């Protein structure tokens, strides 16, 4: 009886429709069937439980029944020995449909082939493109019939596969695609451990356990039965296997005795007992299979396990250790494999791994791991082979696999200095998994192996690089600052790297004491022309208003030096954004993204800067695309802070577009992911977004309350950079809910704090705030000051708000004719941006000013949801559903569904009409009717 059959005894018959009844798992089985129902609200479900509780049996039963009803079922089973081979589980899952890969768009097809080591690329594939390709492949298969993806023993799936599959799992809502995942209870599944429903298999109750024993061929009785029930603790596999052992031995003494060993150890001993009377040829075959444990078929080779039809397997089948599935031989349960492997002597295990390494000589990565498993002591040649394996894994984007290979290579390196180097390289690769505990473990191990100052400095930088992106800002800042101070004299370049990371953490936290420490570190670090750009970065990030003019003057040279280097251009863009040089920031980001494409395994520090720059520049669709990418990467890597940053930008745009409920949901999500006292920047952005959403809904009391939280009780900014742009919105809400006096004090305090270091943009926002709050007879100069500088056209939404404020003031002063010009310009801008609440407000004011304003096509587009607007505009540019999906991280089916629902709202019937509609919308917006 195999793992599936043994567990089925407590769950269901071996095939749907057989006479053997379901025992003890009715509710769980019903929940799984609800999940695979096409109308299910939860297309992804994780099934967790201890070994032997029935996970595999339940998944197998549901898969067979679903397949019998016409669905396509794709399966992958985690393998402990292949958990370090990048994309091995994804290849296993998609092997039956690999021909469909050829039908994917070119970039997705190339990314998938690169991931499987079949492409020609020399650099790592774009991991997000791999995820989009998986999503597109599943969606395409679902065009013909429903698709069920079953991932069993998911705790052993390789990290690269988990990342791609979790990416797709978050986007299958609305698709006829279901994903069922089986995993050991307590094991963390990156990407699946948040917002994924979990069904836990508890032990069987006493009645079900008794019923299961009654169903066994030789049901135990009396004292033996009592001891089995007590020993098994409701575990179905334990009940079946202990009953089988007692039956085979035929005496009460055959029942397992009580003892301190965990249940799984007892079961392993039970499986191992079955090896005693097996022929030597069978024992060798089992050991080779246990050492290989591959989900892929092994090549025919005399060094490896015999073919499935070989007679050596028959005694193992009779002993209940293996099962034959077509041309494959598999262990019936992981415990059987474990028992076989550990029952063998160390010499026999070593010979088995060496034999498998010879067998897999054409698969160098798998061969290298077997050679490593056969090494009882350090071996330079095997260490070097694993280092080459890591290089191949990195080129396929398998950062976790690369780090694992380098870590094992370090263990096998005979020389301590080589071991330390490999551990630091492993840490550098592990950075891209987002697992900071692992990175710190690798760096700590490296420190025990070397005194090389340069290498230890590099190790510290690797930890700092990832730590910056976590939510532990206070702890991380102290570590980075301490490291920077320690390295200032001996390794100044590394010290400056750590100071740069500390400056980013200072931005996230907004803690003033951290600013003083960063300044002190800069004074300790020697000046160097080769590091001038990084010093400028530290200054700009930690305090962009300290000698702003001098920092701005350095940007042209830094931009010239960064030309053609995407990572440097991104840094220049971030600095420009911080300094309110938004036009230069957008140019830098555009060039960086054009050259870099969408590469980059982790969000960079201050990765939200690009999205904010696009928001300010009025390119809201691009801002949302940047948020989608940061969210996708951050969730895969488990970087909640990066996800929260993106959520606040997205929430702000949604509020501007008038999707109030979605904006609130996104902002609240951001607040749940961070500690507001640790991440003041994110908290401020979230409250600004919630304030914008309330204002869009006309709830100015709530809007003021949210925006008031952006400043302290005394009226100082909560965050030294993120709070100031809220001044004008605070003033606008204040005049509508009677908080005039308090708002004046806050605005003037901020104006005094900024003084001559305020940017033209902030001066304009302060002027608008003053105009809104001023006595009626004194407001005009402030509004005019907020519009006088031509550079302010680069912030179109903010300028349009000022124009509307001026027009409202003019009309109230009965200067109606003068109000019409700014009103018309403001309405044009709001329409172009799709800012629905502001369109309506400008319309009302325009009609009051005597302008003839009627509903037109722009309002039809504005009536769509923000995501539908994005999709419609991209479709109007001629992009296909697949291309749009690739850009927005959606499946082609989801894109098509949005278009289908959008056409009636737009009054069109064909995709070909979209371009004329959108062009007409823009033309009307520019002419202003």
């Amino acid at each position: 009886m195999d793992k599936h059959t043994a567990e089925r005894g407590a769950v269901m018959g071996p095939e749907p429709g057989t006479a053997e009844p379901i025992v003890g798992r009715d509710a769980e089985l019903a929940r799984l069937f609800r999940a695979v129902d096409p109308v299910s609200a939860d297309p992804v479900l994780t099934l967790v439980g201890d070994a032997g509780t029935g996970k595999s049996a339940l998944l197998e039963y549901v898969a067979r029944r679903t397949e019998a009803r016409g669905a396509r079922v794709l399966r992958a089973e985690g393998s402990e020995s292949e958990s370090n081979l990048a994309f091995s589980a994804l290849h296993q899952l998609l092997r039956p449909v690999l021909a469909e890969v050829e039908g994917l768009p070119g970039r997705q097809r190339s990314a998938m082939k690169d991931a499987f080591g079949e492409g020609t690329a020399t650099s790592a594939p774009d991991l997000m493109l791999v995820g989009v390709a998986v999503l597109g492949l599943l969606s395409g298969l679902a065009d013909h019939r429903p698709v069920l993806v079953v991932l069993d023993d998911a705790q052993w799936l390789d990290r690269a596969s988990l990342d791609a599959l979790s990416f797709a799992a978050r986007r299958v809502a609305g698709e006829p695609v279901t994903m069922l995942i089986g995993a050991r209870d307590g094991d963390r599944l990156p990407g699946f451990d948040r917002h994924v429903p979990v069904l836990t298999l508890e032990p069987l109750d006493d009645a079900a356990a008794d019923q299961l024993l009654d169903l066994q061929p030789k049901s135990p009785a009396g004292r033996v039965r009592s001891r089995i029930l007590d020993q098994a603790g409701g575990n179905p596999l334990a009940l079946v296997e202990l009953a089988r052992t007692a039956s085979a031995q035929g005496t009460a003494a055959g029942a397992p005795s009580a003892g301190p060993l965990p249940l799984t150890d007892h079961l392993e001993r039970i499986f191992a007992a079955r090896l005693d009377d097996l022929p030597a040829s069978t024992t060798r075959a089992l050991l080779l299979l246990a050492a290989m444990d591959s989900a892929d078929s092994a090549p025919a080779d005399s060094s490896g396990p015999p073919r499935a039809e070989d007679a050596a397997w028959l005694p193992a089948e009779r002993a209940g250790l293996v099962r034959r599935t077509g041309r494959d031989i598999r262990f019936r349960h992981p415990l059987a494999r474990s028992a076989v492997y550990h029952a063998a002597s160390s010499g026999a295990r070593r010979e088995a791994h060496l034999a498998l390494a010879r067998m897999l000589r054409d698969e160098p990565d798998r061969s290298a791991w077997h050679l490593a498993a056969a090494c009882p002591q350090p071996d330079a040649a095997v260490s070097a082979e694993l280092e080459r394996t890591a290089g191949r894994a990195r080129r396929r984007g398998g950062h976790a696999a690369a780090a694992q290979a380098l870590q094992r290579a370090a263990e096998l390196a005979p020389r301590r200095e080589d071991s330390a180097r490999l551990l630091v390289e492993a840490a550098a690769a592990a950075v891209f998994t987002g697992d900071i505990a692992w990175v710190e473990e690798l760096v700590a191990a490296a420190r025990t192996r070397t005194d090389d100052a340069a290498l230890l400095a590099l190790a510290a930088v690797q930890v700092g690089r990832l730590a910056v992106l976590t939510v532990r800002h206070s702890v991380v800042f102290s570590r980075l600052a301490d490291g920077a101070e320690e390295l200032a004299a001996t390794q100044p370049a590394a010290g400056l790297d750590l100071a740069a990371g500390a400056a980013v953490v200072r931005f996230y936290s907004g803690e003033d004491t951290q600013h003083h420490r960063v300044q002190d570190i800069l004074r300790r670090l020697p000046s160097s022309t080769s590091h001038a750009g990084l010093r400028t970065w530290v200054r700009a990030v930690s305090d962009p208003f300290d000698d702003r003019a001098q920092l701005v003057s350095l940007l042209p040279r830094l931009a010239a030096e960064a030309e053609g280097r995407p990572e440097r251009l991104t840094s220049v863009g971030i600095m420009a954004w911080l300094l309110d040089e938004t036009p230069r920031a957008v140019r830098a980001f555009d060039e960086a993204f054009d050259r870099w494409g969408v590469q980059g395994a982790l969000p960079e520090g201050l990765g939200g800067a690009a999205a904010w720059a696009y928001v300010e520049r009025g390119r809201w669709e691009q801002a949302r695309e940047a948020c989608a990418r940061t969210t996708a990467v951050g969730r895969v890597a488990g970087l909640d802070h990066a996800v929260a940053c993106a959520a606040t930008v997205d929430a702000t745009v949604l509020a501007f577009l008038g999707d109030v409920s979605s904006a609130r949901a996104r902002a609240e999500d951001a607040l749940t992911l961070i500690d507001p006292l640790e991440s003041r920047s994110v908290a401020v952005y979230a409250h600004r977004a919630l304030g914008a959403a309330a204002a869009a809904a006309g709830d100015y009391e709530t809007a003021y309350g949210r925006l008031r939280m952006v400043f302290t009780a005394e009226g100082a900014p909560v965050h030294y950079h993120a709070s100031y742009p809220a001044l004008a919105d605070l003033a606008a809400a204040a005049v509508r809910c009677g908080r005039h006096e308090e708002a004046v004090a806050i605005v003037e305090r901020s104006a005094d704090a900024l003084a001559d270091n305020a940017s033209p943009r902030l001066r304009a926002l302060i002027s608008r705030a003053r105009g809104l709050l001023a006595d009626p007879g004194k407001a005009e100069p402030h509004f005019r000051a907020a519009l006088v500088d031509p550079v302010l056209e680069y912030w179109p939404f903010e300028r349009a708000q000022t124009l509307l404020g001026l027009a409202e003031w003019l009309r109230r002063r009965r200067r109606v004719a003068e109000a019409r010009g700014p009103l018309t310009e403001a309405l044009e801008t709001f329409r172009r941006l799709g800012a629905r609440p502001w369109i309506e407000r400008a319309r009302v004011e325009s009609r009051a000013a005597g302008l003839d304003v009627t509903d037109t096509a722009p309002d039809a587009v504005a009536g769509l949801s923000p995501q539908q607007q994005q999709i419609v505009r991209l479709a109007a540019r001629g992009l296909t559903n697949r291309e749009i999906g690739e850009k927005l991280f959606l499946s082609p089916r989801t894109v098509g569904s949005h278009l289908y629902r959008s056409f009636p709202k737009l009054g069109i019937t064909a995709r070909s009409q979209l371009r004329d509609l959108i062009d007409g919308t823009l033309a009307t917006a520019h002419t202003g009717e």
Side-chain angles (χ1 to χ4, degrees):
M1 185 177 294
D2 66 4
K3 167 190 176 183
H4 298 279
T5 306
E7 293 179 348
R8 263 184 217 120
V11 182
M12 73 291 288
E15 296 290 342
T18 60
E20 189 174 354
I22 296 172
V23 176
R25 296 297 190 208
D26 293 9
E28 293 89 343
L29 192 57
R31 177 68 183 88
L32 288 168
F33 284 139
R34 287 199 302 274
V36 299
D37 191 298
V39 300
S40 172
D42 295 320
V44 183
L45 179 67
T46 301
L47 181 65
V48 301
D50 293 331
T53 51
K55 301 183 298 297
S56 297
L58 283 164
L59 292 174
E60 177 71 11
Y61 184 81
V62 173
R64 288 177 179 270
R65 176 166 162 175
T66 305
E67 195 167 36
R69 293 181 174 182
R72 179 186 285 274
V73 178
L74 300 174
R75 297 177 176 88
E77 185 175 334
S79 165
E80 189 173 11
S81 68
E82 294 198 354
S83 60
N84 47 30
L85 296 177
F87 295 108
S88 58
L90 187 63
H91 187 270
Q92 180 194 159
L93 181 79
L94 299 180
R95 188 169 51 180
V97 293
L98 284 180
E100 305 293 331
V101 172
E102 296 300 326
L104 292 172
R107 294 174 68 237
Q108 295 179 34
R109 181 173 63 251
S110 296
M112 188 75 86
K113 288 189 173 182
D114 290 342
F116 293 157
E118 300 169 1
T120 58
T122 57
S123 61
D126 180 349
L127 298 185
M128 291 302 101
L129 266 182
V130 175
V132 171
V134 173
L135 178 63
L137 195 61
L138 296 177
S139 179
L141 292 170
D143 285 339
H144 307 290
R145 49 178 169 150
V147 174
L148 172 61
V149 174
V150 178
L151 307 174
D152 199 7
D153 283 329
Q155 72 277 359
W156 289 328
L157 297 181
D158 65 277
R159 178 62 185 269
S161 295
L162 273 176
D163 288 348
L165 290 167
S166 65
F167 177 95
R170 285 189 292 273
R171 291 162 177 81
V172 296
E175 303 274 350
V177 176
T178 304
M179 198 173 287
L180 299 180
I181 306 146
R184 293 280 179 86
D185 195 10
D187 285 304
R188 177 178 175 269
L189 295 181
F192 289 101
D193 53 357
R194 188 186 295 276
H195 307 310
V196 175
V198 175
L199 175 61
T200 302
L201 290 186
E202 302 291 350
L204 296 178
D205 60 26
D206 292 344
D210 263 320
Q211 188 178 357
L212 176 57
L213 287 182
D214 288 340
L215 292 171
Q216 301 313 303
K218 293 184 179 180
S219 179
R223 184 166 62 90
V224 173
R225 186 184 186 94
S226 297
R227 295 181 69 185
I228 290 174
L229 288 168
D230 179 66
Q231 182 75 38
N235 184 287
L237 181 63
L239 288 161
V240 171
E241 292 301 329
L242 293 174
R244 179 184 182 125
T245 300
S247 172
Q249 296 188 358
T251 65
S257 61
L261 291 176
L263 175 66
T264 52
D265 288 344
H266 277 296
L267 285 173
E268 198 169 292
R269 284 168 48 193
I270 290 170
F271 282 116
R274 301 180 191 174
L275 300 172
D276 293 343
D277 299 323
L278 296 179
S281 60
T282 300
T283 302
R284 180 181 182 276
L286 286 169
L287 179 56
L288 288 168
L289 185 64
M292 181 172 68
D293 190 35
S294 171
D296 292 328
S297 299
D301 190 294
S302 59
S303 329
R307 295 179 180 274
E309 62 271 16
D310 195 287
W313 296 114
L314 293 176
E317 282 189 279
R318 286 194 292 268
L321 292 168
V322 297
R323 71 178 186 273
R324 197 190 312 262
T325 306
R327 297 182 178 180
D328 293 333
I329 290 287
R330 302 285 178 89
F331 281 104
R332 293 186 180 276
H333 193 275
L335 291 175
R337 179 217 172 222
S338 178
V340 168
Y341 188 80
H342 292 292
S345 67
S346 58
R349 291 198 297 267
R350 183 171 182 272
E351 287 301 320
H353 283 296
L354 289 174
L356 292 171
R358 290 192 296 272
M359 181 188 78
L360 298 167
R361 53 187 172 272
D362 294 330
E363 297 183 48
D365 294 339
R366 293 173 68 190
S367 177
W369 278 104
H370 282 296
L371 288 172
C375 279
Q377 56 194 16
D379 187 305
V382 177
S383 177
E385 191 58 48
L386 281 173
E387 190 174 358
R388 287 188 284 273
T389 288
R392 288 188 289 268
R394 254 192 303 239
R395 286 192 292 275
R396 295 197 302 274
H399 300 292
Q404 288 167 335
L406 288 164
Q407 184 175 16
R408 181 64 176 133
E411 294 169 357
L412 294 176
R415 301 172 57 201
R416 289 175 62 83
E417 55 268 34
D418 289 335
S419 179
R421 174 185 60 80
L422 289 166
L423 284 167
V424 173
E425 289 185 21
V431 161
F432 293 100
T433 69
D435 189 342
I436 191 167
W438 188 16
V439 174
E440 290 174 336
E441 172 194 328
L442 292 165
V443 169
R447 290 193 182 111
T448 66
R449 288 168 167 79
T450 186
D451 297 323
D452 186 324
L455 194 60
L456 291 176
L458 179 59
V461 169
Q462 296 302 342
V463 174
R465 183 182 182 191
L466 179 56
V468 163
L469 300 174
T470 69
V471 296
R472 304 181 301 166
H473 298 317
S474 297
V475 173
V476 168
F477 180 86
S478 295
R479 289 184 183 178
L480 292 171
D482 290 347
E485 289 173 347
E486 290 172 8
L487 296 170
T490 59
Q491 299 288 327
L496 190 55
D497 270 330
L498 293 179
V504 174
V505 177
R506 139 74 173 163
F507 179 89
Y508 288 145
S509 71
E511 177 59 57
D512 286 338
T513 57
Q514 294 178 357
H515 174 221
H516 301 315
R517 191 167 181 196
V518 169
Q519 288 181 312
D520 184 59
I521 292 169
L522 279 183
R523 285 191 289 269
R524 295 188 186 196
L525 289 164
S527 297
S528 169
T529 55
S530 61
H531 299 139
L534 198 51
R535 291 183 72 92
T536 303
W537 164 272
V538 175
R539 291 174 56 202
V541 171
S542 58
D543 189 353
F545 302 119
D546 181 12
D547 199 3
R548 176 183 176 276
Q550 197 265 341
L551 290 170
V552 169
S553 71
L554 297 174
L555 289 177
R557 178 173 60 81
L558 294 174
E561 292 172 353
E563 188 174 357
R565 301 174 65 179
E567 69 286 355
R568 295 277 294 276
L569 283 166
T570 300
S571 296
V572 170
I574 292 171
M575 285 188 284
W577 170 72
L578 289 166
L579 294 165
D580 270 340
E581 293 291 306
T582 300
R584 182 179 293 279
V586 167
R587 287 197 299 274
F589 289 132
D590 283 347
E591 185 180 347
F593 297 156
D594 285 345
R595 290 181 175 274
W596 210 346
V598 286
Q599 295 289 340
L602 285 182
E604 296 297 319
L606 287 171
W612 278 120
Y614 287 133
V615 171
E616 293 166 11
R617 190 66 185 86
R619 289 160 59 172
W620 293 353
E621 289 178 28
Q622 282 177 283
R624 297 202 70 207
E625 290 171 22
C627 290
R629 178 165 188 83
T630 299
T631 300
V633 177
R635 280 179 173 164
V636 165
L639 299 173
D640 287 349
H641 192 266
V643 175
C645 288
T648 59
V649 187
D650 206 30
T652 302
V653 176
L654 288 166
F656 292 166
L657 293 170
D659 190 346
V660 172
S661 60
S662 296
R664 287 171 177 158
R666 292 288 277 147
E668 294 292 353
D669 282 346
L671 289 173
T672 63
L673 291 171
I674 55 97
D675 178 346
L677 296 179
E678 285 274 305
S679 300
R680 289 181 180 86
S681 61
V682 175
V684 166
Y685 291 140
H687 291 307
R688 279 172 49 186
L690 289 166
D699 182 359
Y700 294 106
E701 187 74 39
T702 298
Y704 183 81
R706 285 293 183 177
L707 294 168
R708 182 64 183 82
M709 296 172 72
V710 169
F711 299 89
T712 67
E714 295 76 24
V718 168
H719 188 274
Y720 65 93
H721 184 272
S723 291
Y724 290 124
L727 287 168
D729 293 332
L730 178 82
V735 298
R736 288 170 172 80
C737 66
R739 306 298 182 92
H740 180 279
E741 187 175 340
E742 184 179 46
V744 168
I746 293 172
V747 170
E748 294 308 320
R749 177 168 181 160
S750 292
D752 291 342
L754 288 167
D756 294 336
N757 279 318
S759 65
R761 177 206 179 194
L762 286 182
R763 286 198 296 271
L765 289 174
I766 290 170
S767 293
R768 171 152 61 99
R770 285 170 167 165
L772 291 166
L773 295 167
D775 293 338
K778 299 178 181 179
E780 184 173 8
H782 297 300
F783 283 123
R784 298 294 183 188
L787 294 167
V788 68
D789 193 335
V791 77
L792 297 175
E793 294 182 1
Y794 289 114
W795 290 267
F797 185 57
E798 293 172 3
R799 187 171 186 276
Q801 289 173 297
T802 304
L803 286 166
L804 180 57
L806 172 62
E808 289 173 333
W809 180 87
L810 288 168
R811 189 182 64 80
R812 287 195 299 270
R813 303 294 289 177
R814 301 185 184 281
R815 296 161 62 179
V816 176
E818 292 177 67
R820 290 170 180 165
L823 267 175
T824 299
E825 187 178 347
L827 183 56
E828 289 174 0
T829 301
F830 293 143
R831 279 178 167 163
R832 185 172 68 252
L833 295 172
R836 281 183 286 177
W838 294 90
I839 293 170
E840 291 306 315
R841 185 171 154 188
R843 272 205 192 122
V844 171
E845 191 65 28
S846 296
R847 293 190 183 104
L851 291 171
D852 181 16
V853 181
T854 58
D855 290 341
T856 56
D859 296 323
V861 175
L864 303 177
S865 73
Q867 188 166 67
Q868 287 172 340
Q869 289 184 41
Q870 276 187 294
I871 290 169
V872 163
R873 294 182 189 280
L874 291 171
R877 284 160 44 187
L879 275 68
T880 66
N881 287 5
R882 284 184 180 274
E883 290 168 336
I884 296 170
E886 185 175 300
K887 204 170 188 66
L888 301 181
F889 307 106
L890 301 170
S891 73
R893 181 190 301 277
T894 299
V895 172
S897 176
H898 279 299
L899 286 173
Y900 178 78
R901 292 196 297 270
S902 300
F903 282 9
K905 298 177 185 178
L906 297 172
I908 62 175
T909 57
R911 195 186 193 105
S912 58
Q913 297 172 274
L914 281 174
R915 181 170 182 175
D916 291 340
L917 174 71
I918 299 300
D919 287 349
T921 296
L922 295 175
T924 304
H926 284 295
T927 57
E929 297 192 72

